[in-house]
Structure formats: C-alpha cells, structure tokens
Amino acid sequence: MLNTKNGRREIFFDGSSFIDKNLSSADAIGPAENDPMFQRVVEIRFLPKAAFDLSGFIHQTSSSEKLREFLSDDDLMNIRRGFDERKRPKGKDEIIVRLPQMTAIKLGVLLDLIRNDTNDLEVQDWIDNCTGAIRYALSAE
C-alpha cells in the first residue's frame, strides 16, 4: 500500500518469478522509479538487532552480482546513508532508518525473495522482522 497525493494505491509484486531465475528488479517493479510518488522518504523502525544485522548483510553482500542486479548504486547509497544516519530514540528499543520509498520497496522485495529461498528458521525470523518494519513504514500515512 503506497500513499500518494491522490490517496492510497495498492501495488502487488510477484516474487515467485525471481526464484531460481536470472532476473533483476526491473522485471518485478513496473512503475518508473523516478515517479515522484516513490521519492517520499519513509521512516522504518527496526528492532536494534534486526537493523544491525541488515546493515551488516547489505555491507557484506553489496558486491554480490545478484544483489547488484536488484539494487542500483543509488539504492545501495541510500541504504548506507540511511544506516549511517540512523537514530535511536531515547528510551525506545528501536532504530529509525530513513529511506526513499522505492528503495524501501526494493529492499523489502529482495528480503522476501531471500526468505523464500531459505529453510533456516533464524534467517526467516530475522527477515520477517525486517520486512514487517518496512511494510509498516510503507503503509504509514
């Protein structure tokens, strides 16, 4: 669910087309990435461990060919900047990361695809925490 100037808009992604195939984000995301509605910045509120694990995962895999097909240089820069400028509100058990909406969507879809490819329950739980936070941020008014 995306918020636009004209109200809410629902967009569906079929991640199953990616599994075991050599596809990029362009194959899954139809609307133009430069559409102003996707440039809105969203605040994602992660659990601290999930946030630090995600930051480490992006850092460690940023040179991966598959990841680079899915996340552009701008996306990776936005994610790094978001984590570098993260905030931890006093007295709250959360890390706030600000990302452009389209980058957050791509990151969420990428994590969903990874979740579908693993049977590791700990990894699935971590991804569920991350994607839940991303979905909540995208649905916020």
Side-chain angles (χ1 to χ4, degrees), residues 44-59 79-80 82-89 93-99 107 111 125-131 133-134:
I44 306 169
R45 297 173 183 273
F46 292 105
L47 293 172
K49 182 172 179 0
F52 290 113
D53 288 348
L54 180 57
S55 176
F57 169 76
I58 294 296
H59 178 72
I79 292 168
R80 284 189 192 109
F83 278 99
D84 287 347
E85 297 172 359
R86 69 188 178 274
K87 295 180 182 167
R88 185 170 190 166
D93 194 28
E94 64 186 19
I95 301 292
I96 299 173
V97 176
R98 295 171 48 91
L99 295 176
L107 182 58
L111 290 170
D125 186 48
W126 164 68
I127 290 174
D128 288 344
N129 280 313
C130 292
T131 56
I134 293 169

Side-chain angles (χ1 to χ4, degrees), residues 2-134:
L2 301 173
N3 294 318
T4 68
K5 291 179 183 177
N6 299 324
R8 297 183 107 173
R9 181 173 171 191
E10 206 167 351
I11 295 179
F12 297 94
F13 297 96
D14 179 11
S16 64
S17 65
F18 276 78
I19 299 172
D20 296 327
K21 296 189 177 145
N22 189 23
L23 300 173
S24 70
S25 63
D27 297 307
I29 300 173
E33 291 182 30
N34 60 358
D35 188 318
M37 75 179 223
F38 292 113
Q39 298 309 312
R40 173 178 79 103
V41 174
V42 295
E43 285 191 351
I44 306 169
R45 297 173 183 273
F46 292 105
L47 293 172
K49 182 172 179 0
F52 290 113
D53 288 348
L54 180 57
S55 176
F57 169 76
I58 294 296
H59 178 72
Q60 290 173 355
T61 61
S62 63
S63 61
S64 157
E65 185 177 312
K66 190 63 178 172
L67 185 90
R68 305 276 304 163
E69 286 177 11
F70 200 86
L71 296 174
S72 70
D73 288 338
D74 286 343
D75 292 322
L76 290 170
M77 181 186 67
N78 288 332
I79 292 168
R80 284 189 192 109
R81 183 181 312 126
F83 278 99
D84 287 347
E85 297 172 359
R86 69 188 178 274
K87 295 180 182 167
R88 185 170 190 166
K90 189 173 184 173
K92 294 195 175 186
D93 194 28
E94 64 186 19
I95 301 292
I96 299 173
V97 176
R98 295 171 48 91
L99 295 176
Q101 184 166 293
M102 180 54 88
T103 299
I105 290 169
K106 287 179 174 182
L107 182 58
V109 171
L110 174 65
L111 290 170
D112 275 337
L113 295 172
I114 293 169
R115 188 191 192 290
N116 291 336
D117 283 344
T118 184
N119 293 322
D120 185 321
L121 295 178
E122 188 175 342
V123 172
Q124 289 177 352
D125 186 48
W126 164 68
I127 290 174
D128 288 344
N129 280 313
C130 292
T131 56
I134 293 169

